[in-house]
Amino acid sequence: MATIERVLMSVAARRPSRWRRLRESMSVVLRSRSAVVGLAIVAFWVLVAIFAPLLTPYGPFDQDYTLQNAPPSAAHPLGTDHLGRDIWARLIYGARLVLIILPVNDALWLPGGTALWGVFLGLVMGSILGLLGGYLGGWIDEVVMRLLDAMMAFPVILLYMIIIAAIGSSAVNIVLAIAIVGTPGIARLVRSLTLDIRTRDYIRAAETRGESAWYIMFHEILPNARGPLIVDAMLRVGYAIFAMGTLGFLGLGLPPPSPDWGSMVAKGRQYIVSGSPWAALWPSVAIASLVVGLNLFADGLREELARYR
Amino acid sequence: MMRLCSDPLPPILKVENLSVSYATRYGEVEAVRQISFEVRRGMTLGLVGESGCGKTTVAFGILNFLGPNGRIVEGSIKFQGRELVGRSEKELRTLRGDQIAMVYQDPMQALNPSLTIGEQLSEVLIVHRGISRADAWRKSIDMLNRVYMPDAVNVMKRYPHQLSGGQQQRVVIAMALLNNPALLIMDEPTTALDVTVEAAVLDLIEDLKRDFDTGIIYITHNLGVVARVCDQVVVMYAGEVVESAPIGNLFAHPLHPYTQGLMRCVPKLGSTKEESQLYPIRGRVPAPQNRPWGACVFAPRCDYATERCRNERPAFREIAPGHSARCFYAGEIDPSAWQPSEEADLPSPSPKPDAIPVQENILEIENLKTYYEQPSRSVFSLFGLGKKHYVKAVDGVSLHVPKGITVGIVGESGCGKSTLAKTIIGLEPLTSGTLHFLGFDLSMPVTRRDVKLIQELQMVFQNPDSTMNPAYTIGEQIARPLQRFKTVPPHQVYDEVIRLLRAVRLDPSYYDRFPSQLSGGEKQRVGIARAFASRPEMVLCDEPVSSLDVSVQAAVLNLLLDIQRQYGTTMLFIAHDLSVVRFFSDIVAVMYLGHIVELGPAEAIYMPPYHPYTEALLSAVPIPDPGATQKRIRLEGNVPSALNPPSGCVFHTRCPRRNLLPDHGLVCEVERPPWRYNTEQHRILCHIPLEDLRKMEPVITSH
């Protein structure tokens, strides 16, 4: 059966162009039910974040002192918080901060959300360290991996708090914290992939051409680590959103009055007992759904990739 | 053969009209179509064909291991007279019981690495027979002895990784035989093994057939192995049986054009590139969903195909007693009158030079040693105090390679042939000795060599699946050496890649394809194009054809020959297949445990005087000719560890010829053997005087 499968696979793989390749990989994603559900949830949040101004008449900071801690109504679909701000508006503007824009300072806003930037920076640092350790080996590997081990010895939440407490709380610093905390894990993954890939003959072929270590690491090895890295990065975006929520809850998130999901939960928490749980409930649902969506998508993708390997 | 024909017993296994299909993303694809054969007691049935022909599917069909997407569409499988098709898994278990056993290609996958051999063997008996642990243990030792396992009592206490590949396969065979099965299915059981080990396992299979009276289905792609162990052969092509014959008939009078083509693909041991040619079968095995079902499946690749073959499916009919083929013209075709068709790509013939021309040496290796440091587990070594241990992978090799010549290097795995190549190309640092290429020193690693020097020395790799980077297109990968070495100006790179693709007989449309879209043979061609892109003076080929199917192997060898003749490239050709090396090389070096033990022109190596090791290797090669007789010399034990090689002559622990010397070859244990020069170019590293070596009979005599 193994042989016949291989023949079928090689035929299945006969694709004339990169465009067909992309379509094939999309069809792989769409074949997995959990990936489709996950993709739908993530797409929902991305879309509402992009079109936030069109989806609500309120701004995230607009206050209505006559309506504090109001339950859902026609005017405020998810209700209002203790300052009379519309929760739906704050939620979707909060999604922007996570997924769409990074406010560096008042004047400069970068595209790509806080969580995405954090994971991206972590990927860059982790890939470099993992490639160095995995490909060059020897004492470089020892030093790099022991340092990263030392970092991994800290509980994640403690590490976040140490970093934010040290450098202060702002969007850029949260990005840095996410990147620093994510680096050791990514580096370990890249290193293990590198250790496997470097034994392949095409690496030998590049070495016999006298290619530089830099070329081999970034041109020959890294593109082949892409698949598992993408899946891992998606999971990490989920963790990053979770971490942002936690930091916000602990008061270390984006400074108020930013519509930070975590700090929304923290503030709303005080009014749960007094009969208005909405302000705490909706941001929690938002964090949970986005994290679960990313996890489902990543898991589905990984399963489908493994099946067609 | 007579016994088979007049056997009154019903067959153990009778497969009739079996068709198997898999559900794939192309819908239901028929992988095997209307297969029929039978197996009797004490008979070995060979199932031969290239990969993708459905051999393994047949085996899994019999065992009902088709997986969730496979099913038997039609036909019947009768095991000991009882129908297996259409039964539930539970019914099958009682019908089949422990009466069918299977041996797979890779023994390491069949053994549990965390249990000892004894636990694994006795468990089979305890579970199936319900006998006591002590009894099971004793019976397991008996069985190990019956498969000629040396030191069976102690092997029982070892773990799989502590045994060599050949021993592991013996354990797997012993495990399969413990229940005394009526039918044993072996799927390429020796493909992963060295020739000498393979020979011993094949001997074992022959004995088992006699002792156990078991029916064996032997799946292989190697015609030499078939000739050695099988009684009856079924040739499969693209999911169909195309020919079925007793072994002698098949090799003497192959009826189907596919069988005839297969036989023209393999070099006969002793044939050379000057006096004979390999004729690959053009095209490739069609994928299951592309097979022409209403026609002869082989028609697109057949030289005899007519309009009828393309429109009508030939019946499987008996041509001679016991000899059937699925071809309209079987029996009418005269294979000796066969001529290669016009479009076949064959290397341009070259006249054989009278002697190896005395040319300047392009590569000079003097007393080369490559040692690996073995990390020691002692406490002292933590502080750098312990004694350092070295794996002596290459231990004092001297070799001069004249320009334009092909040097073949043969030896079992672990003899250091790959390390030698890696040291030359600069991937492994050398420990001592000198290495000169084109007069330049090569003793530094490749990263510190001059680009001009790197460009002149390139390599072709073994594994077609990993020789190409899956992330880039074929064109990009061939272009890379052109850009790096600036072989052609940048604006001509594309044209040069297309030219190289044409040179390796690939269509320019391959430029944009990814490696996953190519077959093994095509990938190997691209690997060759990449190696030749910088127009090197010398190319090292590390087992370039050993993982390819025979018809593809022939095509790749022809290609290498042609390119070499065109460019006058010098080659170092590493292989473990002696017939291929003999065919391809001008000079052959036989390596054993880091030493060259015999060196000389190819024809001299394959005739006495031999080094005793060469003699043993030659006697182990499976020859695709059941009429040839081979002396049976089997080496005992395993290749010793290169960490602690034997004193004196490294081969003395296994040498079958030591007794030719006084005192049972005491001198071999003590002293390094001298080089004995048979001719100026042919030398043997042995204590036995040349006169005695000359007196040996040739290993292979064909009738």
Side-chain angles (χ1 to χ4, degrees):
Chain A
M1 195 177 83
T3 342
I4 197 87
E5 286 272 279
R6 215 176 309 133
V7 173
L8 291 178
M9 287 296 296
S10 72
V11 174
R14 199 176 297 156
R15 291 160 296 199
S17 71
R18 277 179 195 269
W19 167 238
R20 277 278 305 274
R21 232 184 170 193
L22 189 73
R23 259 193 9 215
E24 286 260 334
S25 48
M26 276 317 290
S27 79
V28 164
V29 172
L30 296 180
R31 199 166 292 127
S32 151
R33 189 171 303 162
S34 63
V36 170
V37 173
L39 186 63
I41 297 174
V42 176
F44 167 78
W45 282 112
V46 171
L47 290 176
V48 297
I50 292 176
F51 298 110
L54 305 177
L55 293 173
T56 172
Y58 310 101
F61 314 119
D62 294 350
Q63 299 180 352
D64 181 352
Y65 292 110
T66 60
L67 256 174
Q68 292 174 349
N69 286 328
S73 64
H76 300 282
L78 300 183
T80 58
D81 66 4
H82 64 288
L83 295 176
R85 295 177 292 199
D86 182 65
I87 297 178
W88 170 243
R90 283 182 70 75
L91 269 192
I92 57 182
Y93 278 95
R96 290 194 138 190
L97 289 178
V98 174
L99 296 169
I100 304 299
I101 48 168
L102 169 66
V104 178
N105 54 39
D106 289 342
L108 179 64
W109 292 43
L110 288 178
T114 317
L116 299 186
W117 271 101
V119 172
F120 176 73
L121 280 186
L123 269 180
V124 171
M125 294 197 292
S127 298
I128 292 172
L129 292 174
L131 282 168
L132 283 172
Y135 181 66
L136 297 177
W139 65 268
I140 296 178
D141 187 32
E142 281 300 317
V143 171
V144 169
M145 292 327 283
R146 291 303 81 79
L147 281 176
L148 295 179
D149 282 351
M151 271 177 73
M152 284 178 109
F154 288 95
V156 175
I157 214 61
L158 192 63
L159 202 53
Y160 275 120
M161 286 166 63
I162 294 172
I163 296 168
I164 294 296
I167 60 181
S169 155
S170 74
V172 174
N173 287 352
I174 289 178
V175 166
L176 285 178
I178 292 171
I180 292 170
V181 172
T183 298
I186 295 170
R188 284 210 157 262
L189 175 70
V190 173
R191 177 177 177 269
S192 69
L193 290 167
T194 306
L195 286 178
D196 176 29
I197 293 169
R198 66 181 269 205
T199 62
R200 309 282 165 86
D201 280 346
Y202 53 82
I203 303 300
R204 292 289 90 63
E207 284 169 350
T208 56
R209 284 200 303 271
E211 301 281 10
S212 64
W214 179 84
Y215 178 90
I216 291 174
M217 286 191 292
F218 289 94
H219 281 82
E220 301 277 348
I221 296 179
L222 195 56
N224 290 299
R226 205 168 36 186
L229 264 185
I230 289 173
V231 172
D232 184 67
M234 248 174 299
L235 288 173
R236 275 177 197 285
V237 172
Y239 301 152
I241 291 166
F242 208 78
M244 283 175 69
T246 314
L247 287 172
F249 186 81
L250 295 173
L252 295 168
L254 299 176
S258 317
D260 181 272
W261 289 353
S263 45
M264 283 166 77
V265 179
K267 277 280 174 290
R269 180 178 60 103
Q270 302 160 12
Y271 305 97
I272 293 175
V273 191
S274 60
S276 43
W278 313 109
L281 176 69
W282 296 119
S284 312
V285 169
I287 293 173
S289 69
L290 192 46
V291 173
V292 167
L294 281 162
N295 270 296
L296 282 176
F297 185 47
D299 276 355
L301 199 60
R302 181 172 51 204
E303 264 166 40
E304 288 299 314
L305 284 176
R307 192 175 304 169
Y308 290 98
R309 181 86 44 98
Chain B
M1 260 147 43
M2 286 316 291
R3 184 172 57 90
L4 291 177
C5 299
S6 58
D7 201 333
L9 286 169
I12 306 172
L13 184 80
K14 193 172 168 71
V15 174
E16 270 179 313
N17 263 342
L18 179 72
S19 298
V20 177
S21 71
Y22 290 104
T24 68
R25 56 165 92 177
Y26 301 99
E28 186 106 349
V29 167
E30 214 165 28
V32 159
R33 190 185 200 196
Q34 294 175 354
I35 298 277
S36 303
F37 59 83
E38 51 183 56
V39 185
R40 292 169 194 277
R41 279 206 175 270
M43 156 185 169
T44 306
L45 177 88
L47 221 50
V48 201
E50 294 175 271
S51 53
C53 283
K55 307 182 298 275
T56 306
T57 301
V58 172
F60 283 147
I62 295 166
L63 290 166
N64 197 30
F65 280 172
L66 287 169
N69 62 338
R71 67 182 187 95
I72 291 172
V73 183
E74 58 165 338
S76 88
I77 303 171
K78 283 206 175 72
F79 178 62
Q80 296 184 325
R82 284 171 300 183
E83 181 63 46
L84 296 184
V85 176
R87 307 267 184 169
S88 71
E89 186 61 37
K90 203 176 156 195
E91 284 175 305
L92 277 179
R93 218 171 294 150
T94 49
L95 276 182
R96 214 166 43 196
D98 40 27
Q99 292 286 291
I100 303 181
M102 182 144 180
V103 175
Y104 298 90
Q105 178 170 347
D106 184 358
M108 211 44 198
Q109 309 240 322
L111 296 172
N112 184 336
S114 61
L115 295 176
T116 61
I117 302 299
E119 282 166 325
Q120 300 188 49
L121 286 174
S122 53
E123 185 194 297
V124 174
L125 288 171
I126 295 167
V127 171
H128 282 280
R129 294 279 162 80
I131 62 176
S132 75
R133 186 159 291 275
D135 273 356
W137 196 268
R138 201 165 31 75
K139 281 204 161 80
S140 303
I141 294 177
D142 286 349
M143 186 54 74
L144 283 181
N145 281 324
R146 289 182 76 172
V147 298
Y148 308 114
M149 176 71 84
D151 196 17
V153 176
N154 286 317
V155 164
M156 291 287 280
K157 292 178 209 139
R158 292 200 199 130
Y159 288 90
H161 70 267
Q162 292 169 306
L163 305 181
S164 69
Q167 288 177 331
Q168 286 170 358
Q169 200 59 296
R170 273 166 216 249
V171 171
V172 175
I173 293 172
M175 199 184 281
L177 289 171
L178 271 177
N179 283 316
N180 201 5
L183 179 66
L184 185 60
I185 302 174
M186 305 182 113
D187 190 358
E188 307 256 10
T190 60
T191 308
L193 306 174
D194 267 319
V195 264
T196 53
V197 184
E198 174 180 71
V201 173
L202 293 180
D203 290 347
L204 169 67
I205 293 170
E206 270 180 87
D207 293 350
L208 294 179
K209 195 164 63 176
R210 203 181 51 234
D211 298 353
F212 286 80
D213 205 25
T214 306
I216 300 177
I217 297 179
Y218 195 99
I219 298 173
T220 181
H221 66 275
N222 187 330
L223 290 172
V225 171
V226 172
R228 182 173 286 176
V229 295
C230 297
D231 305 307
Q232 181 85 20
V233 185
V234 168
V235 182
M236 286 189 70
Y237 177 75
E240 291 191 353
V241 172
V242 293
E243 184 161 0
S244 160
I247 186 75
N249 285 11
L250 187 84
F251 281 92
H253 310 288
L255 290 176
H256 196 281
Y258 177 63
T259 321
Q260 295 166 0
L262 276 185
M263 289 182 187
R264 281 190 288 264
C265 287
V266 278
K268 304 256 179 321
L269 187 63
S271 65
T272 63
K273 57 188 170 187
E274 284 84 16
E275 64 195 32
S276 68
Q277 277 199 320
L278 303 178
Y279 299 103
I281 308 172
R282 63 198 152 92
R284 65 192 211 190
V285 184
Q289 72 275 20
N290 298 334
R291 287 175 191 161
W293 280 138
C296 170
V297 280
F298 189 60
R301 302 176 74 189
C302 183
D303 288 328
Y304 302 98
T306 62
E307 211 40 48
R308 190 179 174 201
C309 304
R310 284 183 268 270
N311 294 317
E312 200 183 324
R313 184 169 179 241
F316 191 61
R317 58 199 178 97
E318 193 163 43
I319 313 291
H323 194 160
S324 315
R326 192 185 286 281
C327 178
F328 292 123
Y329 307 107
E332 298 164 27
I333 298 168
D334 178 12
S336 58
W338 178 83
Q339 288 290 323
S341 68
E342 295 284 310
E343 67 248 58
D345 30 283
L346 299 170
S348 38
S350 78
K352 157 97 178 147
D354 292 336
I356 293 166
V358 186
Q359 289 241 16
E360 54 178 318
N361 292 327
I362 187 168
L363 180 73
E364 292 187 345
I365 306 171
E366 295 291 349
N367 203 17
L368 180 78
K369 292 180 180 173
T370 308
Y371 292 177
Y372 301 107
E373 195 178 324
Q374 174 87 356
S376 158
R377 272 181 231 110
S378 109
V379 187
F380 293 111
S381 63
L382 274 181
F383 308 103
L385 297 171
K387 191 165 161 256
K388 290 213 168 103
H389 295 274
Y390 293 98
V391 176
K392 297 174 180 169
V394 175
D395 198 8
V397 162
S398 299
L399 182 66
H400 291 191
V401 181
K403 208 168 156 54
I405 288 289
T406 303
V407 177
I409 298 183
V410 283
E412 290 170 279
S413 53
C415 71
K417 50 193 195 309
S418 284
T419 307
L420 178 62
K422 281 187 189 160
T423 311
I424 296 170
I425 204 115
L427 295 179
E428 294 293 345
L430 56 83
T431 310
S432 71
T434 61
L435 200 56
H436 283 95
F437 175 66
L438 293 166
F440 294 98
D441 183 30
L442 268 193
S443 58
M444 67 291 245
V446 65
T447 42
R448 279 193 275 133
R449 289 181 187 171
D450 190 77
V451 176
K452 290 273 168 251
L453 206 55
I454 292 173
Q455 168 180 359
E456 299 298 345
L457 190 60
Q458 287 292 307
M459 190 156 173
V460 176
F461 296 88
Q462 172 178 8
N463 187 347
D465 291 328
S466 79
T467 191
M468 291 284 113
N469 191 328
Y472 297 100
T473 64
I474 300 306
E476 288 169 328
Q477 300 199 49
I478 301 180
R480 179 64 197 170
L482 295 173
Q483 291 156 349
R484 177 163 165 75
F485 300 124
K486 303 185 180 64
T487 324
V488 292
H491 65 277
Q492 286 175 16
V493 166
Y494 180 80
D495 295 335
E496 179 70 8
V497 173
I498 298 297
R499 199 188 65 74
L500 283 163
L501 278 174
R502 288 224 168 87
V504 294
R505 316 271 192 285
L506 290 176
D507 193 76
S509 68
Y510 277 73
Y511 189 96
D512 287 322
R513 297 203 189 168
F514 284 92
S516 60
Q517 299 163 255
L518 269 59
S519 72
E522 288 169 334
K523 285 183 211 167
Q524 213 56 328
R525 281 161 194 263
V526 178
I528 292 168
R530 183 178 60 190
F532 280 86
S534 62
R535 300 184 191 158
E537 283 286 334
M538 184 167 181
V539 171
L540 312 182
C541 302
D542 189 0
E543 308 244 15
V545 294
S546 60
S547 42
L548 302 176
D549 270 318
V550 279
S551 73
V552 184
Q553 175 177 327
V556 171
L557 283 177
N558 279 348
L559 175 71
L560 273 174
L561 265 183
D562 207 21
I563 295 190
Q564 181 186 25
R565 283 175 184 159
Q566 216 174 321
Y567 292 89
T569 318
T570 314
M571 279 209 223
L572 198 70
F573 187 87
I574 296 174
H576 63 267
D577 185 331
L578 276 85
S579 356
V580 169
V581 168
R582 165 79 164 109
F583 175 80
F584 200 74
S585 316
D586 304 301
I587 297 176
V588 174
V590 182
M591 277 189 81
Y592 182 78
L593 215 59
H595 294 259
I596 290 180
V597 294
E598 185 168 357
L599 178 71
E603 58 274 16
I605 299 281
Y606 291 77
M607 292 295 238
Y610 309 112
H611 188 277
Y613 178 61
T614 316
E615 189 186 18
L617 277 184
L618 284 171
S619 88
V621 191
I623 308 173
D625 176 9
T629 46
Q630 231 169 336
K631 265 199 294 180
R632 191 159 157 165
I633 301 163
R634 296 290 178 259
L635 296 181
E636 285 175 14
N638 307 310
V639 181
S641 161
L643 198 58
N644 192 9
S647 58
C649 171
V650 281
F651 189 53
H652 82 251
T653 51
R654 299 169 81 197
C655 185
R657 295 284 178 192
R658 268 172 74 180
N659 46 16
L660 291 181
L661 288 170
D663 294 335
H664 219 72
L666 188 64
V667 63
C668 302
E669 291 173 35
V670 187
E671 252 178 72
R672 288 242 161 166
W675 278 110
R676 307 225 180 245
Y677 284 84
N678 179 34
T679 63
E680 199 182 328
Q681 286 164 329
H682 180 204
R683 53 192 168 138
I684 298 171
L685 191 72
C686 190
H687 283 294
I688 304 170
L690 268 179
E691 298 75 57
D692 293 339
L693 290 174
R694 284 203 184 102
K695 278 185 225 144
M696 291 180 194
E697 295 162 32
V699 174
I700 300 156
T701 41
S702 58
H703 304 292

